Short mmCIF file of all heavy atoms in Angstrom, two decimals:
data_model
loop_
_atom_site.label_atom_id
_atom_site.label_comp_id
_atom_site.label_asym_id
_atom_site.label_seq_id
_atom_site.Cartn_x
_atom_site.Cartn_y
_atom_site.Cartn_z
N MET A 1 0.83 -1.19 0.00
CA MET A 1 0.00 0.00 0.00
C MET A 1 0.88 1.25 0.00
O MET A 1 1.91 1.30 0.66
CB MET A 1 -0.88 0.03 1.24
CG MET A 1 -2.20 -0.64 1.11
SD MET A 1 -3.01 -0.61 2.73
CE MET A 1 -4.53 0.09 2.33
N LYS A 2 0.43 2.26 -0.69
CA LYS A 2 1.15 3.54 -0.69
C LYS A 2 0.81 4.29 0.59
O LYS A 2 -0.28 4.12 1.16
CB LYS A 2 0.72 4.35 -1.91
CG LYS A 2 1.12 3.70 -3.21
CD LYS A 2 0.64 4.51 -4.38
CE LYS A 2 0.97 3.82 -5.67
NZ LYS A 2 0.38 4.45 -6.81
N PRO A 3 1.69 5.16 1.07
CA PRO A 3 1.44 5.87 2.33
C PRO A 3 0.15 6.68 2.33
O PRO A 3 -0.58 6.69 3.31
CB PRO A 3 2.65 6.79 2.46
CG PRO A 3 3.71 6.15 1.63
CD PRO A 3 3.00 5.41 0.54
N ASP A 4 -0.18 7.37 1.23
CA ASP A 4 -1.40 8.17 1.22
C ASP A 4 -2.65 7.29 1.20
O ASP A 4 -3.69 7.67 1.69
CB ASP A 4 -1.41 9.14 0.03
CG ASP A 4 -1.25 8.45 -1.31
OD1 ASP A 4 -0.63 7.38 -1.36
OD2 ASP A 4 -1.75 9.00 -2.31
N ILE A 5 -2.53 6.09 0.66
CA ILE A 5 -3.66 5.17 0.63
C ILE A 5 -3.86 4.52 2.00
O ILE A 5 -4.98 4.18 2.37
CB ILE A 5 -3.45 4.10 -0.46
CG1 ILE A 5 -3.49 4.77 -1.84
CG2 ILE A 5 -4.49 3.01 -0.39
CD1 ILE A 5 -3.14 3.86 -2.98
N GLU A 6 -2.79 4.38 2.75
CA GLU A 6 -2.89 3.75 4.07
C GLU A 6 -3.73 4.56 5.04
O GLU A 6 -4.33 4.00 5.95
CB GLU A 6 -1.50 3.52 4.65
CG GLU A 6 -0.73 2.44 3.92
CD GLU A 6 0.68 2.26 4.45
OE1 GLU A 6 1.09 3.04 5.31
OE2 GLU A 6 1.34 1.34 3.97
N GLU A 7 -3.81 5.86 4.85
CA GLU A 7 -4.59 6.69 5.78
C GLU A 7 -6.07 6.78 5.38
O GLU A 7 -6.89 7.21 6.18
CB GLU A 7 -3.97 8.07 5.89
CG GLU A 7 -3.97 8.86 4.60
CD GLU A 7 -4.97 10.00 4.63
OE1 GLU A 7 -4.99 10.72 5.61
OE2 GLU A 7 -5.71 10.13 3.66
N LEU A 8 -6.44 6.37 4.17
CA LEU A 8 -7.83 6.45 3.73
C LEU A 8 -8.79 5.63 4.60
O LEU A 8 -9.85 6.15 4.97
CB LEU A 8 -7.97 6.03 2.26
CG LEU A 8 -7.41 7.01 1.24
CD1 LEU A 8 -7.55 6.42 -0.17
CD2 LEU A 8 -8.08 8.35 1.32
N PRO A 9 -8.48 4.38 4.93
CA PRO A 9 -9.42 3.62 5.76
C PRO A 9 -9.71 4.31 7.10
O PRO A 9 -10.85 4.38 7.53
CB PRO A 9 -8.74 2.28 5.97
CG PRO A 9 -7.77 2.15 4.86
CD PRO A 9 -7.34 3.56 4.52
N LYS A 10 -8.67 4.84 7.74
CA LYS A 10 -8.87 5.51 9.03
C LYS A 10 -9.72 6.76 8.86
O LYS A 10 -10.65 7.00 9.63
CB LYS A 10 -7.54 5.86 9.67
CG LYS A 10 -7.72 6.57 11.00
CD LYS A 10 -6.46 6.65 11.78
CE LYS A 10 -6.56 7.39 13.07
NZ LYS A 10 -7.81 7.47 13.74
N ARG A 11 -9.41 7.55 7.83
CA ARG A 11 -10.16 8.79 7.61
C ARG A 11 -11.65 8.50 7.38
O ARG A 11 -12.51 9.15 7.98
CB ARG A 11 -9.61 9.53 6.40
CG ARG A 11 -10.36 10.82 6.16
CD ARG A 11 -10.02 11.61 4.94
NE ARG A 11 -8.76 11.34 4.31
CZ ARG A 11 -8.50 11.63 3.04
NH1 ARG A 11 -9.41 12.20 2.30
NH2 ARG A 11 -7.33 11.37 2.52
N TYR A 12 -11.95 7.53 6.56
CA TYR A 12 -13.34 7.25 6.23
C TYR A 12 -14.04 6.36 7.25
O TYR A 12 -15.26 6.38 7.35
CB TYR A 12 -13.46 6.67 4.82
CG TYR A 12 -13.18 7.72 3.77
CD1 TYR A 12 -12.09 7.61 2.92
CD2 TYR A 12 -13.99 8.84 3.65
CE1 TYR A 12 -11.82 8.58 1.97
CE2 TYR A 12 -13.73 9.82 2.71
CZ TYR A 12 -12.65 9.68 1.87
OH TYR A 12 -12.40 10.65 0.94
N THR A 13 -13.28 5.60 8.04
CA THR A 13 -13.90 4.81 9.11
C THR A 13 -14.34 5.74 10.23
O THR A 13 -15.42 5.57 10.80
CB THR A 13 -12.91 3.76 9.65
OG1 THR A 13 -12.54 2.89 8.58
CG2 THR A 13 -13.54 2.93 10.75
N ASP A 14 -13.53 6.75 10.52
CA ASP A 14 -13.88 7.71 11.57
C ASP A 14 -15.04 8.61 11.16
O ASP A 14 -15.82 9.04 12.00
CB ASP A 14 -12.67 8.60 11.91
CG ASP A 14 -11.55 7.81 12.56
OD1 ASP A 14 -11.80 6.68 13.04
OD2 ASP A 14 -10.41 8.32 12.58
N ASN A 15 -15.16 8.90 9.87
CA ASN A 15 -16.21 9.79 9.38
C ASN A 15 -16.69 9.28 8.02
O ASN A 15 -16.31 9.81 6.98
CB ASN A 15 -15.64 11.21 9.25
CG ASN A 15 -16.70 12.22 8.92
OD1 ASN A 15 -17.88 11.95 9.08
ND2 ASN A 15 -16.30 13.37 8.44
N PRO A 16 -17.52 8.21 8.01
CA PRO A 16 -17.95 7.62 6.74
C PRO A 16 -18.82 8.58 5.93
O PRO A 16 -19.57 9.38 6.48
CB PRO A 16 -18.75 6.39 7.15
CG PRO A 16 -18.95 6.46 8.60
CD PRO A 16 -18.09 7.54 9.16
N PRO A 17 -18.69 8.50 4.60
CA PRO A 17 -19.54 9.33 3.74
C PRO A 17 -21.00 8.94 3.88
O PRO A 17 -21.32 7.82 4.30
CB PRO A 17 -19.04 9.02 2.32
CG PRO A 17 -17.84 8.17 2.45
CD PRO A 17 -17.77 7.69 3.85
N GLU A 18 -21.88 9.84 3.50
CA GLU A 18 -23.32 9.58 3.57
C GLU A 18 -23.66 8.32 2.79
O GLU A 18 -23.20 8.13 1.66
CB GLU A 18 -24.08 10.77 3.01
CG GLU A 18 -25.58 10.65 3.13
CD GLU A 18 -26.29 11.89 2.64
OE1 GLU A 18 -25.68 12.97 2.58
OE2 GLU A 18 -27.47 11.76 2.31
N GLY A 19 -24.44 7.46 3.39
CA GLY A 19 -24.86 6.23 2.73
C GLY A 19 -23.97 5.03 3.01
O GLY A 19 -24.28 3.93 2.60
N LEU A 20 -22.85 5.25 3.69
CA LEU A 20 -21.94 4.16 4.03
C LEU A 20 -21.75 4.11 5.55
O LEU A 20 -21.94 5.10 6.24
CB LEU A 20 -20.57 4.35 3.37
CG LEU A 20 -20.53 4.28 1.85
CD1 LEU A 20 -19.15 4.64 1.34
CD2 LEU A 20 -20.92 2.91 1.36
N THR A 21 -21.37 2.94 6.02
CA THR A 21 -21.07 2.79 7.45
C THR A 21 -19.58 2.50 7.61
O THR A 21 -18.88 2.20 6.64
CB THR A 21 -21.87 1.62 8.06
OG1 THR A 21 -21.42 0.40 7.44
CG2 THR A 21 -23.37 1.80 7.85
N SER A 22 -19.11 2.55 8.84
CA SER A 22 -17.71 2.22 9.13
C SER A 22 -17.41 0.78 8.70
O SER A 22 -16.33 0.49 8.20
CB SER A 22 -17.42 2.38 10.62
OG SER A 22 -17.55 3.72 10.99
N LYS A 23 -18.39 -0.10 8.86
CA LYS A 23 -18.20 -1.50 8.46
C LYS A 23 -18.02 -1.59 6.94
O LYS A 23 -17.19 -2.37 6.47
CB LYS A 23 -19.41 -2.33 8.89
CG LYS A 23 -19.26 -3.80 8.59
CD LYS A 23 -20.45 -4.59 9.08
CE LYS A 23 -20.29 -6.05 8.72
NZ LYS A 23 -21.45 -6.83 9.13
N ASP A 24 -18.77 -0.81 6.18
CA ASP A 24 -18.62 -0.80 4.72
C ASP A 24 -17.19 -0.41 4.34
O ASP A 24 -16.58 -1.01 3.46
CB ASP A 24 -19.59 0.17 4.06
CG ASP A 24 -21.04 -0.21 4.23
OD1 ASP A 24 -21.33 -1.43 4.34
OD2 ASP A 24 -21.88 0.70 4.25
N ILE A 25 -16.66 0.60 5.01
CA ILE A 25 -15.32 1.09 4.72
C ILE A 25 -14.28 0.01 5.05
O ILE A 25 -13.36 -0.24 4.28
CB ILE A 25 -15.01 2.38 5.51
CG1 ILE A 25 -16.03 3.48 5.18
CG2 ILE A 25 -13.59 2.85 5.24
CD1 ILE A 25 -16.09 3.90 3.74
N ARG A 26 -14.45 -0.65 6.19
CA ARG A 26 -13.51 -1.69 6.59
C ARG A 26 -13.50 -2.86 5.61
O ARG A 26 -12.48 -3.51 5.42
CB ARG A 26 -13.82 -2.20 8.00
CG ARG A 26 -13.42 -1.24 9.09
CD ARG A 26 -13.49 -1.88 10.46
NE ARG A 26 -14.83 -2.34 10.82
CZ ARG A 26 -15.75 -1.58 11.41
NH1 ARG A 26 -15.47 -0.33 11.73
NH2 ARG A 26 -16.94 -2.06 11.70
N ASN A 27 -14.62 -3.12 4.95
CA ASN A 27 -14.72 -4.23 4.01
C ASN A 27 -14.29 -3.87 2.59
O ASN A 27 -14.27 -4.74 1.73
CB ASN A 27 -16.15 -4.77 3.99
CG ASN A 27 -16.51 -5.48 5.28
OD1 ASN A 27 -15.66 -6.07 5.92
ND2 ASN A 27 -17.77 -5.41 5.66
N MET A 28 -13.96 -2.62 2.34
CA MET A 28 -13.53 -2.22 1.00
C MET A 28 -12.10 -2.69 0.72
O MET A 28 -11.27 -2.76 1.63
CB MET A 28 -13.58 -0.70 0.84
CG MET A 28 -14.96 -0.17 0.68
SD MET A 28 -14.89 1.59 0.33
CE MET A 28 -16.59 1.89 -0.05
N SER A 29 -11.83 -2.97 -0.54
CA SER A 29 -10.49 -3.41 -0.94
C SER A 29 -9.57 -2.20 -1.11
O SER A 29 -10.02 -1.05 -1.10
CB SER A 29 -10.57 -4.17 -2.26
OG SER A 29 -10.86 -3.27 -3.32
N GLU A 30 -8.29 -2.48 -1.32
CA GLU A 30 -7.31 -1.42 -1.54
C GLU A 30 -7.61 -0.66 -2.83
O GLU A 30 -7.19 0.49 -2.97
CB GLU A 30 -5.90 -2.00 -1.61
CG GLU A 30 -5.38 -2.49 -0.30
CD GLU A 30 -3.97 -3.04 -0.42
OE1 GLU A 30 -3.34 -2.87 -1.48
OE2 GLU A 30 -3.50 -3.64 0.55
N ASP A 31 -8.29 -1.27 -3.77
CA ASP A 31 -8.64 -0.61 -5.02
C ASP A 31 -9.90 0.25 -4.89
O ASP A 31 -10.03 1.27 -5.55
CB ASP A 31 -8.85 -1.64 -6.13
CG ASP A 31 -7.58 -2.37 -6.48
OD1 ASP A 31 -6.49 -1.79 -6.33
OD2 ASP A 31 -7.68 -3.54 -6.91
N GLU A 32 -10.84 -0.18 -4.07
CA GLU A 32 -12.10 0.54 -3.94
C GLU A 32 -11.96 1.85 -3.17
O GLU A 32 -12.61 2.84 -3.50
CB GLU A 32 -13.14 -0.34 -3.24
CG GLU A 32 -13.59 -1.52 -4.08
CD GLU A 32 -14.47 -2.47 -3.31
OE1 GLU A 32 -14.17 -2.77 -2.13
OE2 GLU A 32 -15.46 -2.93 -3.89
N LEU A 33 -11.12 1.87 -2.14
CA LEU A 33 -10.96 3.08 -1.33
C LEU A 33 -10.44 4.28 -2.13
O LEU A 33 -11.03 5.36 -2.05
CB LEU A 33 -10.07 2.81 -0.13
CG LEU A 33 -10.78 2.14 1.04
CD1 LEU A 33 -9.76 1.62 2.05
CD2 LEU A 33 -11.74 3.09 1.69
N PRO A 34 -9.37 4.14 -2.90
CA PRO A 34 -8.91 5.29 -3.69
C PRO A 34 -9.95 5.75 -4.72
O PRO A 34 -10.10 6.94 -4.95
CB PRO A 34 -7.65 4.79 -4.38
CG PRO A 34 -7.20 3.62 -3.59
CD PRO A 34 -8.43 3.03 -2.99
N ASP A 35 -10.69 4.80 -5.31
CA ASP A 35 -11.73 5.16 -6.26
C ASP A 35 -12.82 5.98 -5.58
O ASP A 35 -13.27 7.01 -6.09
CB ASP A 35 -12.35 3.92 -6.90
CG ASP A 35 -11.42 3.21 -7.86
OD1 ASP A 35 -10.41 3.82 -8.27
OD2 ASP A 35 -11.70 2.05 -8.19
N MET A 36 -13.26 5.52 -4.40
CA MET A 36 -14.28 6.25 -3.66
C MET A 36 -13.78 7.64 -3.29
O MET A 36 -14.49 8.64 -3.46
CB MET A 36 -14.66 5.49 -2.39
CG MET A 36 -15.71 6.21 -1.56
SD MET A 36 -15.98 5.48 0.05
CE MET A 36 -14.46 5.92 0.88
N ASP A 37 -12.54 7.73 -2.82
CA ASP A 37 -11.96 9.01 -2.44
C ASP A 37 -11.91 9.95 -3.63
O ASP A 37 -12.24 11.13 -3.52
CB ASP A 37 -10.55 8.79 -1.87
CG ASP A 37 -9.92 10.07 -1.39
OD1 ASP A 37 -10.48 10.71 -0.47
OD2 ASP A 37 -8.86 10.44 -1.93
N TYR A 38 -11.54 9.44 -4.79
CA TYR A 38 -11.47 10.26 -6.01
C TYR A 38 -12.85 10.85 -6.34
O TYR A 38 -12.99 12.04 -6.57
CB TYR A 38 -10.96 9.42 -7.18
CG TYR A 38 -10.99 10.16 -8.48
CD1 TYR A 38 -9.99 11.06 -8.81
CD2 TYR A 38 -12.02 9.96 -9.39
CE1 TYR A 38 -10.01 11.75 -10.00
CE2 TYR A 38 -12.05 10.64 -10.59
CZ TYR A 38 -11.04 11.54 -10.89
OH TYR A 38 -11.09 12.22 -12.08
N PHE A 39 -13.87 10.00 -6.35
CA PHE A 39 -15.20 10.47 -6.71
C PHE A 39 -15.79 11.41 -5.66
O PHE A 39 -16.54 12.32 -6.00
CB PHE A 39 -16.14 9.29 -6.97
CG PHE A 39 -15.87 8.64 -8.29
CD1 PHE A 39 -15.29 7.39 -8.35
CD2 PHE A 39 -16.17 9.28 -9.47
CE1 PHE A 39 -15.03 6.79 -9.57
CE2 PHE A 39 -15.91 8.70 -10.70
CZ PHE A 39 -15.33 7.44 -10.74
N LEU A 40 -15.46 11.22 -4.40
CA LEU A 40 -15.96 12.11 -3.35
C LEU A 40 -15.30 13.48 -3.41
O LEU A 40 -15.88 14.48 -2.99
CB LEU A 40 -15.73 11.50 -1.97
CG LEU A 40 -16.61 10.32 -1.61
CD1 LEU A 40 -16.15 9.70 -0.30
CD2 LEU A 40 -18.07 10.73 -1.52
N ASN A 41 -14.07 13.55 -3.93
CA ASN A 41 -13.33 14.80 -3.90
C ASN A 41 -13.17 15.47 -5.26
O ASN A 41 -12.56 16.53 -5.35
CB ASN A 41 -11.95 14.56 -3.28
CG ASN A 41 -12.08 14.17 -1.83
OD1 ASN A 41 -12.69 14.88 -1.04
ND2 ASN A 41 -11.56 13.02 -1.47
N GLU A 42 -13.69 14.87 -6.31
CA GLU A 42 -13.60 15.45 -7.64
C GLU A 42 -14.61 16.59 -7.76
O GLU A 42 -15.77 16.44 -7.39
CB GLU A 42 -13.88 14.39 -8.71
CG GLU A 42 -13.82 14.89 -10.11
CD GLU A 42 -12.42 15.33 -10.54
OE1 GLU A 42 -11.44 14.92 -9.92
OE2 GLU A 42 -12.34 16.10 -11.52
N ASP A 43 -14.17 17.74 -8.27
CA ASP A 43 -15.05 18.88 -8.44
C ASP A 43 -15.94 18.70 -9.67
O ASP A 43 -15.44 18.50 -10.78
CB ASP A 43 -14.24 20.17 -8.62
CG ASP A 43 -13.53 20.56 -7.34
OD1 ASP A 43 -14.01 20.19 -6.26
OD2 ASP A 43 -12.50 21.24 -7.43
N ASP A 44 -17.23 18.75 -9.48
CA ASP A 44 -18.21 18.72 -10.56
C ASP A 44 -17.89 17.64 -11.59
O ASP A 44 -17.73 17.90 -12.78
CB ASP A 44 -18.29 20.09 -11.22
CG ASP A 44 -19.65 20.33 -11.87
OD1 ASP A 44 -20.56 19.48 -11.69
OD2 ASP A 44 -19.80 21.34 -12.55
N LEU A 45 -17.80 16.41 -11.12
CA LEU A 45 -17.38 15.28 -11.92
C LEU A 45 -18.23 15.06 -13.16
O LEU A 45 -17.74 14.67 -14.21
CB LEU A 45 -17.39 14.01 -11.06
CG LEU A 45 -16.96 12.72 -11.72
CD1 LEU A 45 -15.50 12.83 -12.13
CD2 LEU A 45 -17.17 11.56 -10.80
N PHE A 46 -19.52 15.33 -13.07
CA PHE A 46 -20.42 15.03 -14.18
C PHE A 46 -20.77 16.24 -15.02
O PHE A 46 -21.69 16.20 -15.82
CB PHE A 46 -21.67 14.34 -13.65
CG PHE A 46 -21.35 13.03 -12.99
CD1 PHE A 46 -21.37 12.90 -11.62
CD2 PHE A 46 -20.98 11.93 -13.75
CE1 PHE A 46 -21.06 11.70 -11.01
CE2 PHE A 46 -20.65 10.73 -13.14
CZ PHE A 46 -20.70 10.61 -11.78
N ALA A 47 -20.02 17.31 -14.89
CA ALA A 47 -20.24 18.48 -15.73
C ALA A 47 -19.87 18.13 -17.18
O ALA A 47 -19.03 17.28 -17.43
CB ALA A 47 -19.38 19.65 -15.25
N ASP A 48 -20.49 18.79 -18.13
CA ASP A 48 -20.26 18.49 -19.54
C ASP A 48 -18.80 18.67 -19.93
O ASP A 48 -18.29 17.98 -20.81
CB ASP A 48 -21.12 19.38 -20.43
CG ASP A 48 -22.59 18.98 -20.36
OD1 ASP A 48 -22.88 17.85 -19.93
OD2 ASP A 48 -23.43 19.80 -20.75
N GLU A 49 -18.11 19.61 -19.31
CA GLU A 49 -16.73 19.90 -19.70
C GLU A 49 -15.73 19.44 -18.65
O GLU A 49 -14.63 19.96 -18.58
CB GLU A 49 -16.58 21.39 -19.97
CG GLU A 49 -17.43 21.87 -21.13
CD GLU A 49 -17.25 23.35 -21.40
OE1 GLU A 49 -16.37 23.96 -20.79
OE2 GLU A 49 -18.00 23.88 -22.23
N ALA A 50 -16.08 18.44 -17.86
CA ALA A 50 -15.16 17.94 -16.83
C ALA A 50 -13.89 17.41 -17.47
O ALA A 50 -13.93 16.60 -18.38
CB ALA A 50 -15.83 16.84 -16.01
N GLY A 51 -12.77 17.91 -17.03
CA GLY A 51 -11.48 17.46 -17.52
C GLY A 51 -11.02 18.10 -18.81
O GLY A 51 -9.94 17.83 -19.28
N VAL A 52 -11.84 18.97 -19.41
CA VAL A 52 -11.47 19.61 -20.67
C VAL A 52 -10.93 21.00 -20.36
O VAL A 52 -11.62 21.83 -19.79
CB VAL A 52 -12.68 19.72 -21.63
CG1 VAL A 52 -12.30 20.45 -22.88
CG2 VAL A 52 -13.24 18.35 -21.93
N LYS A 53 -9.68 21.22 -20.73
CA LYS A 53 -9.05 22.51 -20.49
C LYS A 53 -8.42 23.03 -21.77
O LYS A 53 -7.72 22.29 -22.46
CB LYS A 53 -7.98 22.41 -19.41
CG LYS A 53 -8.53 22.05 -18.06
CD LYS A 53 -7.44 21.96 -17.03
CE LYS A 53 -8.03 21.53 -15.69
NZ LYS A 53 -7.03 21.32 -14.69
N GLY A 54 -8.67 24.26 -22.11
CA GLY A 54 -8.03 24.87 -23.26
C GLY A 54 -8.49 24.37 -24.60
O GLY A 54 -7.78 24.47 -25.59
N PHE A 55 -9.68 23.81 -24.70
CA PHE A 55 -10.20 23.31 -25.96
C PHE A 55 -11.23 24.29 -26.49
O PHE A 55 -12.18 24.62 -25.80
CB PHE A 55 -10.83 21.93 -25.76
CG PHE A 55 -11.36 21.34 -27.02
CD1 PHE A 55 -10.50 20.76 -27.95
CD2 PHE A 55 -12.70 21.35 -27.30
CE1 PHE A 55 -10.97 20.20 -29.11
CE2 PHE A 55 -13.20 20.78 -28.45
CZ PHE A 55 -12.33 20.21 -29.37
N CYS A 56 -11.05 24.74 -27.73
CA CYS A 56 -11.97 25.68 -28.34
C CYS A 56 -12.42 25.18 -29.70
O CYS A 56 -11.65 24.58 -30.44
CB CYS A 56 -11.31 27.04 -28.53
SG CYS A 56 -10.81 27.82 -27.01
N ILE A 57 -13.67 25.43 -30.02
CA ILE A 57 -14.20 25.10 -31.35
C ILE A 57 -14.44 26.42 -32.06
O ILE A 57 -15.10 27.29 -31.56
CB ILE A 57 -15.52 24.31 -31.24
CG1 ILE A 57 -15.28 22.99 -30.54
CG2 ILE A 57 -16.11 24.10 -32.63
CD1 ILE A 57 -16.53 22.18 -30.31
N PHE A 58 -13.89 26.54 -33.26
CA PHE A 58 -14.05 27.77 -34.04
C PHE A 58 -15.07 27.58 -35.13
O PHE A 58 -15.23 26.60 -35.74
CB PHE A 58 -12.72 28.20 -34.68
CG PHE A 58 -11.72 28.60 -33.64
CD1 PHE A 58 -10.76 27.72 -33.21
CD2 PHE A 58 -11.75 29.87 -33.07
CE1 PHE A 58 -9.84 28.08 -32.26
CE2 PHE A 58 -10.83 30.23 -32.11
CZ PHE A 58 -9.87 29.34 -31.71
#
């Protein structure tokens, strides 16, 4: 496990996101935790232009 990934279970077990319990977090795999963290912290993930920077149509 990477050092930043090692702290995710503790962070989310102490304060689980809405709809999840501490038990859910404890049962997540090493792959699921970073994915959940990414989606919880991504700004406006489902916006039409998410991830598009500097693209113009003339």
Side-chain angles (χ1 to χ4, degrees):
M1 271 175 127
K2 296 178 183 172
D4 57 332
I5 293 173
E6 290 177 354
E7 63 108 47
L8 289 177
K10 179 167 177 27
R11 180 185 341 159
Y12 289 116
T13 301
D14 293 343
N15 188 17
E18 184 176 339
L20 294 174
T21 65
S22 295
K23 184 178 178 182
D24 295 331
I25 302 299
R26 285 191 299 272
N27 291 328
M28 285 186 172
S29 71
E30 289 181 10
D31 295 330
E32 291 172 318
L33 279 167
D35 290 344
M36 179 190 71
D37 183 61
Y38 174 80
F39 285 109
L40 288 172
N41 295 304
E42 180 66 20
D43 291 334
D44 206 6
L45 181 64
F46 298 105
D48 289 341
E49 296 181 8
V52 177
K53 295 180 183 175
F55 181 77
C56 297
I57 298 176
F58 294 98

